[in-house]
Structures are given as C-alpha cells and as structure tokens.
Amino acid sequence: MATNKVDILLGLQWGDEGKGKIVDVLTPRYDIVARFQGGPNAGHTLEFNGTKHVLHTIPSGIFHPNVINLVGNGVVIDPKVFAQEISKLTAKGVDVKSRLYISRKAHLILPTHRLLDAASEAEKGKSKIGSTLKGIGPAYMDKTGRNGLRIGDIFTPDFRARYDALVQKHKRLLSMYNFEYQLEEHEAEWMEGIEWLRGLTMVDSEHFINKALDAGKRILAEGAQGSLLDIDFGSYPFVTSSNTIAAGACTGLGIAPNRIGRVFGIFKAYCTRVGSGPFPTELHDTTGEEMRRVGNEFGSTTGRARRCGWIDLPALRYACMINGVTELFMMKADVLSIFRTIRACTHYDTTEGRMDYLPYDLEALDVQPVYADLEGWNRDLTAMREDQDIPQALMDYITFLEDQLDLPIRYVSVGPDRTQTIERTATA
Ligand code: GDP
Ligand code: IMO
Ligand code: MG
C-alpha cells in the first residue's frame, strides 16, 4: 500500500505571510503543486534573479520545469484574470500550458459575481468586509447555493444558455441594490478568457491526485489567504468565503484526511491584515508605519496599505491547533531589524478576564493584548543564509516563539528573494 502523503503549506495569520515565496523555494522537492481554495483574491509574490512575479490563481510552482501545477476543485476561477496571468507568464517565457492542469469541478467567477461583490460592499458602507472585489463571496455563494457554473460546463453545448440564465438571476439581484454597473465590456473579455481555458488540460483533481500519490509522486498543496480568514474559524464575518485551513486541502483537491502528511505553517515575524475586522495587536502609531514602510506592506492584489502590528501568539496558537501544523516558517524577520525592542502578544486581557486563546467575538470583549518584550537584533539579516549566521537576539526570539507555540521553526526568511531563506538544519 502506498504511504505517500500530501504536504500542505498555508498561512497562519490574515494572509500575505509569504506563502508564494516559500512554495517556490520548496517546489524542487515536489512533482505537483496544487492550489485548493480561494481564487484571484490571492496575490502570491515570488522573487528570483532580480525579478518579482505576482500570481493570483496559478500555483506558485509554475516557474519550475517538470512540475505539474494543479488548480483544484476548491478554487474559484475568473477566466479573465486567469487568461491575463497566463499571457503574462507566457511573455516571460514560462511554458504554462504544459505545466498547468485545472479541475473540471472548479467553479467559475462570472462578471456579475464581481458586480454583486461590489454592490454588497457598497451597501454595507462602514461595516464592509473590505473584500478584494474579485467576486469571491458571490461565486462561493452560488457554489453552495447550487447555482454555480463549473469549468467542465464550458465544454457543454448549452454553456452560453446556462451562463445567460445565471446572469439574468444576478441582474435581478443587482436591481435590489442601488448600484450602477456596466456589464458588456467585462463580459466580452470574460468570454475571451473562456476560450483560453478551453485550450488547457482539464482533469478530475481527486483522481489525478490519488493516482499520483499511488505512483509515488510528491505533492505540495498551496493554501491561499490565512487561517484567520477561514470561513468557519476566522474572525467572522470579516473573513473570506472558503476553508483556508488544512481541512480545505481535503475538500479542495479530493484527498482523504489520512493522506495528509506534513503541514507547513507560514507566519510573519509580526502581523498584518488588509481589509476590515478585528486585529488586537494592530499599531496605530509610527511603529506600525515603520513596519509598513520597511516591510513594504501594500497588497499584492489590490495595492491597499496593510494594517501592521506585533505578533499575536494566542491567534497563532489557535491557527497551529486547527491546522495540525507540524513545522513553522517565520517570514520577514529582516523587517524587525529596525526595532530596539520586539514585542510579542502572549495573551489578552478582556472584560471576561485573561485569555490565551481567540474568543468568539474579539470586538465585544474589548480585547487588550498583553506583551512580552524581547531585545531586538538591530542587524541587517538580508545577506544571511546559514543557521550559524543568526544573531543571538534573533535566536532568542525564535526560541521564545518555539516555546510559546510548541513547534519547531524550520525556516527563517530574511528577504523577498528565493535565496534569502535560512533552513535551520539544527532543528531538522
Ligand atoms: P502571500 O500572499 O502569502 O504569498 O504573500 P504576499 O506575496 O502577498 O506578501 C508577502 C510580501 O512579502 C511579498 O511582497 C514578498 O515578496 C515579501 N516577502 C516574503 N518574504 C519576505 C521576507 O522574508 N522579507 C521581506 N522583506 N519580504 C518578504
Ligand atoms: P493571499 O493568498 C490577505 C481579505 C480581504 C478581505 C477579506 C475578504 O494573498 O494571502 P474576499 O475578496 O476574499 O471576499 O475578501 O479577506 N483577503 C486577503 N487578505 N491576503 C489574501 O490572500 C486575501 N484574500 C482575501 O482583504 O478582508
Ligand atoms: Mg498575498
């Protein structure tokens, strides 16, 4: 019996932890990289040879020849964004067609899903989610509401009629909002995207993955967003509309839970969030501004400024538990080099007393972070590549976090480039 397992790499915070960079770093160890949820709300950044690349729907293993990149059934695809991504990569000389497979069961984001996303956010006003406006929520609503269109449907003779029927339904919904829109132009580009999709390799991801496992292939599942944006376990309602946690890889690809292997939890040495919702350790002062400036904390998808704050250990502990994380990857340690003191929130003071876990409603309990202060390293880390290069103060921070989270930190990232990564061989 095959003993091969699927490893999962996912974000433990509110997204943008640096997942894309690490998938790219780890890809040479795998045969298949597979996205299992989310869609073009994701922006995964990779940097190598002095060039930066941002991926939205395409898995972050695409730059490596001989690796299959699979878009699983749990992903929602906007053909227009997808076609743009493919043409950008093709222009860079990447042979996308031979490396990219798509699940027939992945759902389509229609132009009207984007309009509904925008209309819903506009109506919410101040209490808006801060959605990326890519149509994610409405597309998953149609999926679970059993109205959606799937990639496999684009090959059916009545596809256009089914598309039109769903659009009519969306138009009726849009008429309930006081929202002006223009659809025709988007529709034409979307239909062009459908033509692109027709030329790609379609698979049933569940069969594809399980067969590959039986054949001894090594598979890495790439998460999008972060655990605190999970539809069930995130800071609801300020979340995305999919299961971003490890369990999402089972449903989003068609893998049984007993075929999950290692779970790589990616986190920043501090914390960021883009969009609305609670963020207990958020800094509204010059320290937060410095983090944003030095960390270049602006959204990869929307360009929005990311909110910044110190690391939140109760939230991270929760994320490690819910995902069954087996090892940790700490990102952007270099960004903290500017600070004399590094703060880490170990628990919260709330109206119901001290807590070291995420309460049901962060806002209602007036959650106040309680910090441990650690000495900063005040040293440029960006040229460091080996375990032994790590300065003592950073090592103390790493050890502190490992103790608090009861998990090993296997990698420390010290810059955006592929090479700016320290694999901690001493802990392996
Ligand atoms: P993802 O969505 O999790 O893939 O993360 P994003 O790409 O949205 O955001 C991470 C940002 O941090 C990108 O601009 C990366 O190039 C950058 N980055 C990743 N790792 C590091 C690091 O260790 N140091 C610094 N300074 N930047 C990093
Ligand atoms: P990656 O994969 C950070 C946030 C949005 C908003 C909320 C809901 O790059 O880490 P949605 O468009 O999904 O309806 O937005 O989730 N969000 C992300 N924040 N990184 C992401 O992806 C995100 N994808 C969605 O800002 O608050
Ligand atoms: Mg991102």
Side-chain angles (χ1 to χ4, degrees):
M1 206 176 89
T3 53
N4 253 22
K5 305 249 181 188
V6 175
D7 293 336
I8 304 176
L9 181 150
L10 45 77
L12 298 178
Q13 295 161 321
W14 278 290
D16 302 329
E17 296 88 351
K19 299 175 292 294
K21 167 181 165 164
I22 296 299
V23 170
D24 173 57
V25 167
L26 296 183
T27 297
R29 301 177 194 182
Y30 291 91
D31 302 300
I32 298 169
V33 177
R35 273 279 302 272
F36 56 89
Q37 45 68 236
N41 49 348
H44 294 182
T45 316
L46 292 72
E47 257 186 69
F48 53 88
N49 302 337
T51 311
K52 183 170 147 171
H53 311 270
V54 182
L55 298 167
H56 300 289
T57 324
I58 294 175
S60 303
I62 198 73
F63 292 97
H64 297 260
N66 310 319
V67 173
I68 295 297
N69 285 259
L70 172 69
V71 179
N73 56 280
V75 175
V76 283
I77 297 176
D78 181 332
K80 181 181 156 190
V81 181
F82 205 65
Q84 281 167 350
E85 255 187 283
I86 295 176
S87 33
K88 263 193 195 165
L89 287 168
T90 308
K92 287 175 179 172
V94 180
D95 179 13
V96 185
K97 263 194 157 181
S98 71
R99 300 179 196 168
L100 185 66
Y101 291 10
I102 306 173
S103 167
R104 286 189 187 86
K105 295 192 173 88
H107 276 246
L108 285 166
I109 301 177
L110 271 57
T112 38
H113 284 137
R114 290 179 71 137
L115 295 172
L116 284 164
D117 204 358
S120 163
E121 286 285 80
E123 194 186 60
K124 282 189 165 131
K126 273 193 179 151
S127 55
K128 69 176 184 190
I129 307 294
S131 143
T132 59
L133 302 179
K134 302 291 176 192
I136 303 295
Y140 278 115
M141 278 164 72
D142 270 342
K143 175 180 177 176
T144 51
R146 296 155 297 173
N147 298 311
L149 289 173
R150 298 185 292 175
I151 294 288
D153 297 335
I154 67 176
F155 299 99
T156 58
D158 62 345
F159 174 67
R160 182 69 209 215
R162 289 167 72 182
Y163 168 85
D164 287 337
L166 189 51
V167 167
Q168 285 314 314
K169 188 171 176 175
H170 290 161
K171 282 185 174 168
R172 288 196 293 279
L173 288 171
L174 282 164
S175 69
M176 296 192 305
Y177 292 100
N178 182 20
F179 185 77
E180 280 184 25
Y181 62 88
Q182 203 277 336
L183 178 61
E184 285 68 29
E185 191 188 319
H186 297 300
E187 211 164 38
E189 285 171 322
W190 193 86
M191 286 296 171
E192 273 173 38
I194 292 286
E195 289 310 314
W196 272 85
L197 279 171
R198 286 201 175 110
L200 297 177
T201 309
M202 304 287 157
V203 294
D204 292 315
S205 62
E206 63 281 31
H207 289 298
F208 179 79
I209 290 270
N210 283 289
K211 270 192 196 147
L213 277 176
D214 290 341
K217 302 282 185 209
R218 297 154 304 166
I219 302 169
L220 180 65
E222 172 181 1
Q225 289 77 56
S227 304
L228 305 177
L229 288 170
D230 182 88
I231 183 71
D232 282 281
F233 301 104
S235 47
Y236 194 87
F238 301 102
V239 293
T240 190
S241 298
S242 65
N243 280 118
T244 60
I245 59 166
C250 294
T251 55
L253 290 170
I255 326 158
N258 62 359
R259 302 210 83 172
I260 300 298
R262 295 155 78 182
V263 180
F264 306 132
I266 316 287
F267 69 100
K268 278 180 192 164
Y270 49 100
C271 197
T272 64
R273 172 164 207 170
V274 59
S276 327
F279 180 0
T281 60
E282 182 171 12
L283 292 163
H284 299 280
D285 56 8
T286 50
T287 308
E289 281 163 26
E290 280 294 274
M291 267 182 201
R292 185 174 310 115
R293 185 182 62 77
V294 178
N296 193 24
E297 294 296 358
F298 296 90
S300 318
T301 299
T302 56
R304 290 179 291 176
R306 295 179 184 144
R307 300 153 66 192
C308 296
W310 297 114
I311 201 161
D312 184 335
L313 292 169
L316 267 183
R317 256 180 237 123
Y318 180 75
C320 290
M321 173 187 80
I322 219 84
N323 287 302
V325 170
T326 57
E327 50 229 279
L328 293 164
F329 289 58
M330 184 166 83
M331 310 302 291
K332 302 191 102 163
D334 55 300
V335 175
L336 295 186
S337 296
I338 51 166
F339 299 113
R340 289 205 170 281
T341 302
I342 312 290
R343 310 197 83 187
C345 167
T346 51
H347 44 274
Y348 308 130
D349 271 340
T350 76
T351 45
E352 289 183 1
R354 198 157 262 211
M355 286 184 180
D356 62 359
Y357 57 91
L358 269 189
Y360 176 75
D361 189 342
L362 280 156
E363 271 169 342
L365 292 184
D366 186 25
V367 167
Q368 298 298 328
V370 179
Y371 291 106
D373 286 349
L374 290 100
E375 200 186 318
W377 41 91
N378 288 133
R379 195 159 336 151
D380 181 7
L381 306 177
T382 54
M384 295 181 184
R385 299 289 179 270
E386 309 287 336
D387 227 359
Q388 56 268 25
D389 297 337
I390 296 177
Q392 190 54 48
L394 173 56
M395 195 55 93
D396 291 345
Y397 187 55
I398 292 170
T399 310
F400 174 79
L401 297 179
E402 288 183 327
D403 285 349
Q404 288 279 327
L405 300 169
D406 203 18
L407 282 167
I409 296 178
R410 295 254 193 250
Y411 285 80
V412 177
S413 177
V414 292
D417 192 85
R418 202 187 250 177
T419 58
Q420 291 176 303
T421 316
I422 302 175
E423 182 172 2
R424 300 194 50 230
T425 44
T427 63

